[in-house]
Amino acid sequence: MAGYSRTDDSPFGRWWRNVDRTTLVCTFILIGFGYILMLAASPAVAVRIGASRNMFIFKQVMFLSVAGVIVTGVSMLSRRTVLRLSLIGGALMLGATMLTLVHGIEIKGARRWIALPLMSLQPSEFLKPCFAVVTGWLLTQRRISRYFPGMLIAFGLYGLILLLLKSQPDIGMLTVITAVFLVQLFVDGLNLIFVGFGFACMIAAGIAAFFIFPHVRSRVERFMHPNVGDHYQIDTALRAFGNGGLMGRGPGEGRVKDLLPDAHADFVFAVAGEEYGLVICLLIICVFAAIVVRTLLRLIREDDPFVVIATTGLLTGFGLQAFVNMASTLHLIPTKGMTLPFISYGGSSAMSVALAIGMVLALTRQQPGGLRSGNGFISTLRQWRSA
């Protein structure tokens, strides 16, 4: 990158100097893992459903290519443009989420998708990053203008999303968005007592979901009682990790992809464990952790509350999604159909996560009015809490 020195004043040169290149590189490493694991996992799944062996590969190559463009393109935007994109995109995706209840595709009893010519769109995936940015702005604006009902609007928006996701139903997405909102409220300076009350409500809602939704009850019971019910998928996934050992059986030598219907999606981490071993699985985990930790460390020096609150929400959604997928594959939590960012098959997942990471890179990029000299956000947060 010698051509993009400090004397290069082109838009790309300025972007390259100021963007968090570590997070950018880690993101493209995950996209690379997505290509490799789709080559490993998807042909067997495609053949099993009577499709062309390369169907999922061709589609995912297209999805990940678009995702790479989205990450790069969105990361070049200004903070003001990111906010405008989130406001407009959030409104459109909120309307599309409402539309799924009427004209959505029903899969396994849930209406979460809208049929498009080349893919099925899950609007709530895109609603998640837009919600994090818009909520960050609302919570910040109420600090600037005492008459602006930012907190009230944020709770109203969350309540509307809660009703929509419950109606689909999509308990997993609702849990992630709730966690994003609670973390943002804490970072905004909300008293720990209220944050604890929020998490208590979240636990109560989870208990209610156990009794209301049969599929939730089934997953929890199978997790709590290993000898009851059908454990075929999770047992097969755990055997795959055991077969892979430290270095794996080798590319193409795995068998879990021939046995699990979602080996290319929800259980792609098991394919990685069997064919590439513990070392590669740990590397994938480290790359996810590097993105989250690196950005949080960058936020410590940030003194723009909007950037801190919005970016923390984006990171919470990204990190929690990765954790849920890997933990459920390893049977550390009840199984949940949630994709592994950039690695599992899925157009909506790949592009929505790309949007979120692009926003993170744009918001944390050093810009005029950003990363200003001063005490940073930590001291600002302390001032708010003591006010």
Side-chain angles (χ1 to χ4, degrees), residues 194-267:
F194 293 105
V195 175
F197 176 74
F199 276 107
C201 290
M202 191 174 173
I203 294 173
I207 296 173
F210 175 83
F211 292 102
I212 295 173
F213 300 105
H215 69 283
V216 175
R217 181 166 59 253
S218 173
R219 288 173 178 174
V220 174
E221 288 178 343
R222 280 180 290 170
F223 176 76
M224 298 296 295
H225 305 287
N227 297 324
V228 177
D230 180 14
H231 294 266
Y232 173 76
Q233 293 196 94
I234 195 64
D235 288 344
T236 304
L238 291 176
R239 281 198 300 272
F241 286 109
N243 293 337
L246 184 64
M247 302 303 296
R249 300 180 63 170
E253 298 300 320
R255 294 291 172 263
V256 68
K257 60 194 178 187
D258 299 316
L259 303 173
L260 290 179
D262 293 324
H264 64 316
D266 297 345
F267 287 94

Side-chain angles (χ1 to χ4, degrees), residues 12 15 19-20 24 27-28 65-86 89 126 129-130 133 314 342 350-365 367:
F12 189 88
W15 168 79
V19 76
D20 185 356
L24 185 66
T27 298
F28 279 95
S65 298
V66 173
V69 172
I70 290 174
V71 169
T72 305
V74 174
S75 70
M76 293 181 175
L77 301 178
S78 67
R79 293 172 178 178
R80 187 179 296 275
T81 305
V82 169
L83 175 58
R84 289 172 178 168
L85 176 64
S86 300
F126 296 88
C130 293
V133 175
L314 291 167
F342 293 121
M351 288 186 277
S352 65
V353 173
L355 177 63
I357 295 299
M359 288 176 172
V360 167
L361 290 169
L363 292 171
T364 57
R365 201 175 79 243
Q367 303 177 32

Side-chain angles (χ1 to χ4, degrees), residues 312-326:
T312 302
L314 291 167
L315 286 177
T316 300
F318 174 78
L320 186 58
Q321 181 175 337
F323 169 78
V324 168
N325 177 279
M326 292 185 285

Side-chain angles (χ1 to χ4, degrees), residues 38 41 45 261-269 271 325 329 338-340 343-346:
M38 202 49 49
V45 178
D262 293 324
H264 64 316
D266 297 345
F267 287 94
V268 71
F269 195 54
V271 177
N325 177 279
T329 303
M338 193 169 288
T339 56
L340 188 59
I343 297 179
S344 294
Y345 173 79

Side-chain angles (χ1 to χ4, degrees), residues 235-311:
D235 288 344
T236 304
L238 291 176
R239 281 198 300 272
F241 286 109
N243 293 337
L246 184 64
M247 302 303 296
R249 300 180 63 170
E253 298 300 320
R255 294 291 172 263
V256 68
K257 60 194 178 187
D258 299 316
L259 303 173
L260 290 179
D262 293 324
H264 64 316
D266 297 345
F267 287 94
V268 71
F269 195 54
V271 177
E274 185 175 32
E275 298 200 3
Y276 298 98
L278 175 64
V279 172
I280 294 300
C281 287
L282 290 176
L283 178 59
I284 291 173
I285 294 172
C286 287
V287 175
F288 278 114
I291 292 175
V292 175
V293 174
R294 166 74 179 183
T295 308
L296 289 176
L297 291 175
R298 196 173 175 90
L299 288 179
I300 292 176
R301 296 182 292 120
E302 177 61 63
D303 59 356
D304 185 338
F306 162 65
V307 172
V308 175
I309 297 172
T311 305

